[in-house]
């Protein structure tokens, strides 16, 4: 379980680096124009928010398992779920930023 957590953390870190590279290339005005015209970006961001909600629930469950002194196997499974949803959320946001960059660069 710990190996899965570490692997997901590495994937999350790589996606985060790529997202930051894309963000630095775009201005707020460009992003606003593209988001008002292309609704698929907003849909992708909403999907990322759902995953953020699942992550929040996983955090609450982790805290609950700690308070109730459950075995560490429950804790590790919930930790993996948390990292998986966080990584998936970051990937959805990366896709949204990538779509923005594609639309902006395609129009330039």
């Amino acid at each position: 379980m710990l190996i899965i957590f570490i692997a997901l953390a590495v994937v999350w870190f790589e996606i985060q680096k790529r997202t930051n590279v894309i963000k630095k290339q775009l201005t707020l005005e460009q992003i606003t124009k593209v988001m008002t015209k292309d609704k698929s970006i907003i849909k992708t961001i909403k999907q990322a928010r759902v995953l953020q909600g699942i992550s929040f629930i996983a955090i609450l469950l982790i805290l609950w398992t700690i308070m109730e002194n459950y075995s560490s196997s429950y804790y590790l499974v919930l930790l993996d779920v948390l990292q998986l949803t966080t990584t998936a959320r970051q990937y959805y946001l990366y896709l949204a930023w990538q779509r923005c960059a594609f639309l902006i660069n395609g129009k330039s």
Side-chain angles (χ1 to χ4, degrees), residues 6-16 83 87 90:
I6 292 169
L8 287 170
V10 169
V11 170
W12 175 87
F13 182 73
E14 286 298 316
I15 294 171
Q16 182 66 31
Q83 188 62 39
T87 303
Q90 189 61 37

Side-chain angles (χ1 to χ4, degrees), residues 22 26 30-31 33-42 95-108:
I22 293 172
L26 308 175
Q30 291 174 321
I31 295 166
K33 286 180 186 176
V34 168
M35 288 182 112
T36 56
K37 293 178 183 174
D38 189 10
K39 300 299 178 191
S40 68
I41 296 170
I42 300 197
L95 290 177
W97 282 106
Q98 195 175 32
R99 177 85 177 143
C100 281
F102 174 75
L103 293 173
I104 290 169
N105 292 333
K107 293 180 181 180
S108 298

Side-chain angles (χ1 to χ4, degrees), residues 4-85:
I4 294 170
F5 177 78
I6 292 169
L8 287 170
V10 169
V11 170
W12 175 87
F13 182 73
E14 286 298 316
I15 294 171
Q16 182 66 31
K17 281 188 349 187
R18 291 180 184 192
T19 302
N20 287 339
V21 169
I22 293 172
K23 280 180 177 178
K24 290 178 183 176
Q25 297 173 357
L26 308 175
T27 65
L28 185 59
E29 295 162 358
Q30 291 174 321
I31 295 166
T32 305
K33 286 180 186 176
V34 168
M35 288 182 112
T36 56
K37 293 178 183 174
D38 189 10
K39 300 299 178 191
S40 68
I41 296 170
I42 300 197
K43 188 177 184 181
T44 305
I45 292 171
K46 285 181 181 179
Q47 290 170 338
R49 286 185 181 160
V50 168
L51 290 168
Q52 185 176 6
I54 294 170
S55 296
F56 180 72
I57 291 170
I59 290 170
L60 293 177
L61 287 173
I62 288 170
L63 292 174
W64 181 59
T65 56
I66 291 170
M67 298 295 227
E68 295 292 324
N69 292 324
Y70 283 101
S71 70
S72 61
S73 62
Y74 291 119
Y75 176 72
L76 287 174
V77 168
L78 289 170
L79 199 60
D80 283 345
V81 168
L82 172 66
Q83 188 62 39
L84 178 66
T85 55

